[in-house]
C-alpha cells in the first residue's frame, strides 16, 4: 500500500503540473513558485470550467492525506483510517454498478490502484481541455500580439469589451 500511495501520488502531481503549465505562458515562473500539492490542487480546481465541485477532488484530497500520513506519521490506526477514507470515496464516485462491483471484488491494494487510475483518467480529460485552450490563446496572440491588452468590463458593468 505504501509503494502504491507514494508512486501514485508522484504520478498525479506530475500530471497536475503538466496541466497547470498549460495555463501559464511562462511556465518557468510556475516552477519557481514551488507550490505544495494542496496549492496545486486548489489552482487546478479554480481553473476548471465545469467540474470545480466534482467529488473526484475529494478523492484526490483523501489520497493526499494518506500520502502525508505515510510521510509524516507512523500511526497504524490513522493510516488505516486514511486508507478506508480513500476507498469509501472511490466507491462513492464510481460511475456505474458494474464499476462498483468490480471495485468491491478487489483487495485494498487493488482498490487503491483503481482510485489512482480513476483520477488519472479524469485529469487526462482535463489536460486535453487545457492544451486546447492554451493553443487557442497562442493563436490569438499570434494574430494580434496586443489582444491581451484589451480591457473587459465585469458582468456587473455589462460584460462587454471596452
Amino acid at each position: 500500500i505504501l509503494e502504491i500511495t507514494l508512486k501514485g501520488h508522484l504520478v498525479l502531481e506530475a500530471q497536475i503540473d503538466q496541466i497547470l503549465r498549460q495555463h501559464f505562458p511562462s511556465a518557468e515562473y510556475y516552477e519557481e513558485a514551488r507550490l505544495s500539492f494542496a496549492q496545486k490542487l486548489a489552482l487546478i480546481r479554480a481553473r476548471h470550467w465545469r467540474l470545480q465541485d466534482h467529488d473526484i477532488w475529494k478523492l484526490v484530497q483523501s489520497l493526499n492525506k494518506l500520502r502525508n500520513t505515510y510521510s509524516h506519521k507512523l500511526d497504524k490506526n490513522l493510516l488505516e483510517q486514511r486508507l478506508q477514507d480513500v476507498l469509501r470515496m472511490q466507491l462513492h464516485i464510481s460511475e456505474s454498478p458494474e464499476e462498483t462491483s468490480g471495485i468491491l471484488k478487489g483487495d485494498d491494494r487493488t482498490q487503491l490502484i483503481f482510485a489512482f487510475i480513476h483520477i488519472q483518467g479524469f485529469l487526462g480529460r482535463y489536460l486535453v481541455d487545457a492544451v486546447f485552450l492554451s493553443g487557442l490563446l497562442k493563436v490569438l496572440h499570434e494574430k494580434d500580439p496586443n489582444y491581451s491588452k484589451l480591457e473587459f468590463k465585469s458582468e456587473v458593468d455589462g460584460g462587454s469589451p471596452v
Side-chain angles (χ1 to χ4, degrees):
I1 301 283
L2 170 64
E3 183 178 1
I4 295 166
T5 302
L6 296 179
K7 286 183 179 179
H9 191 277
L10 283 172
V11 170
L12 289 182
E13 188 162 16
Q15 199 170 13
I16 288 170
D17 283 334
Q18 186 178 15
I19 293 166
L20 287 173
R21 276 189 222 100
Q22 294 299 317
H23 294 293
F24 300 104
S26 300
E28 65 273 11
Y29 298 112
Y30 165 75
E31 298 296 335
E32 287 179 14
R34 298 180 47 131
L35 301 171
S36 70
F37 186 86
Q39 291 168 322
K40 292 174 186 180
L41 187 58
L43 273 177
I44 200 169
R45 283 182 78 174
R47 292 289 305 173
H48 204 287
W49 291 97
R50 300 177 307 273
L51 301 170
Q52 308 90 324
D53 297 321
H54 194 285
D55 284 338
I56 196 120
W57 302 116
K58 292 177 185 172
L59 178 59
V60 176
Q61 289 171 325
S62 64
L63 283 164
N64 190 46
K65 287 179 183 176
L66 176 62
R67 180 255 174 215
N68 287 342
T69 302
Y70 270 119
S71 298
H72 305 291
K73 297 181 176 97
L74 291 174
D75 183 333
K76 185 177 179 179
N77 292 330
L78 184 58
L79 285 168
E80 184 58 31
Q81 177 189 338
R82 297 276 196 240
L83 176 60
Q84 293 309 313
D85 290 346
V86 168
L87 302 182
R88 271 191 300 280
M89 182 54 63
Q90 173 58 32
L91 280 174
H92 173 72
I93 65 169
S94 297
E95 297 172 357
S96 69
E98 296 81 19
E99 186 178 320
T100 301
S101 68
I103 293 169
L104 289 173
K105 289 178 186 173
D107 60 6
D108 289 354
R109 189 175 190 278
T110 302
Q111 291 180 46
L112 183 60
I113 291 169
F114 191 80
F116 279 111
I117 291 170
H118 196 139
I119 294 167
Q120 285 182 300
F122 179 85
L123 291 176
R125 292 187 301 272
Y126 187 142
L127 178 60
V128 169
D129 290 347
V131 168
F132 174 77
L133 181 59
S134 177
L136 182 60
L137 292 173
K138 286 177 186 172
V139 167
L140 286 172
H141 185 71
E142 288 169 5
K143 289 191 178 271
D144 181 4
N146 294 317
Y147 88 95
S148 62
K149 295 179 183 173
L150 291 176
E151 293 182 26
F152 291 89
K153 292 183 179 180
S154 70
E155 289 180 17
V156 174
D157 295 330
S160 58
V162 177

